Structure formats: structure tokens, C-alpha cells
Amino acid sequence: MKKLFYPALFHKAEEGGFWITFPDFPECMTQGENMQNAYEMAWDALGLAVVSRIENRESLPPATEPYAITAVSDTFCIIVPFDLIAYQKKHNSKAIKKTLSIPEWLNEAATDMNVNFSQVLQDALIQKLNL
């Protein structure tokens, strides 16, 4: 999946910080104490919304063009880029066990050289999938 870019509306909160909404994901809202925190929270919230839709086999909405968004006072639009692979690396890096078969001679040669089979498989999959 290529990178996605969705607009987020940052609303200035009366008590300080920001609350954030996404025009294309009505269910997606978050908040942050300052701009950096708010942006990080927006990225995380967008990730939850995208992953939820993917898991539920729902289509992702097309991104609204930023110029089509009318912001009220104390509100501004920021484009939040989203990379599914980066999000999954951060939130879904739990190791899972895989069983595989290789020829005995290859196993012996690799074992003699103290090859880490898990690392080799990860590296090969990353290369094969162009990640």
C-alpha cells in the first residue's frame, strides 16, 4: 500500500492544546497538549481508523482536497501522511512463529555457520516485498 495523505482539522481547545477531526473519517477524533503531541496523536488516530477499515474489509475514502475544506476560526487544516507499513512496524511488531521446510543439507550448512534463520527470513521477505 502506498502512502496515504488525509486532511486533519486542528481545532484550538479553550483549555489549551488542540482537538483533531478528520473530514474523511467521522469516527476519528483525538487531542493533543501541544502541536507536536497533537500531530503524533493525529497520526496514531488516523492509523487506527485506516487499519479498522482494512480489517473490516471496508473501502478507504478518497482524501478530501485541502482547498475544499472550510475551516472556522481557531481551526486549521494539516495534511497527515500515513504509511501502513510504518504504522504496523510501530504497533504490530509481535513475533509470530512460522514453520517451514528446507533441505537437510542447507539446514546443516546454515547451522554450522550459526545463521539466524528468523533474521534471514525477515530480511528475505522485506527484500521480496520491496519494503
Side-chain angles (χ1 to χ4, degrees), residues 84-113:
L84 182 61
I85 299 299
Y87 183 84
Q88 289 177 324
K89 283 181 183 178
K90 181 178 178 186
H91 294 286
N92 195 14
S93 60
K94 176 181 82 171
I96 59 168
K97 189 170 182 82
K98 300 299 284 181
T99 302
L100 57 105
S101 300
I102 60 172
E104 184 177 11
W105 67 267
L106 188 56
N107 180 63
E108 290 172 3
T111 302
D112 288 345
M113 294 187 66

Side-chain angles (χ1 to χ4, degrees), residues 10-20 31-35 38 74:
F10 282 61
H11 310 268
K12 188 172 181 179
E14 289 179 17
E15 62 279 0
F18 303 91
W19 55 282
I20 302 104
Q31 62 185 19
E33 297 173 2
N34 54 47
M35 181 54 73
D74 290 336

Side-chain angles (χ1 to χ4, degrees), residues 25 27-29 41-55 82 87 91:
F25 294 90
E27 72 278 13
C28 187
M29 296 176 70
M41 296 296 289
W43 183 81
D44 240 8
L46 179 59
L48 285 170
V50 168
V51 168
S52 174
R53 292 213 180 174
I54 290 171
E55 287 174 353
F82 180 74
Y87 183 84
H91 294 286

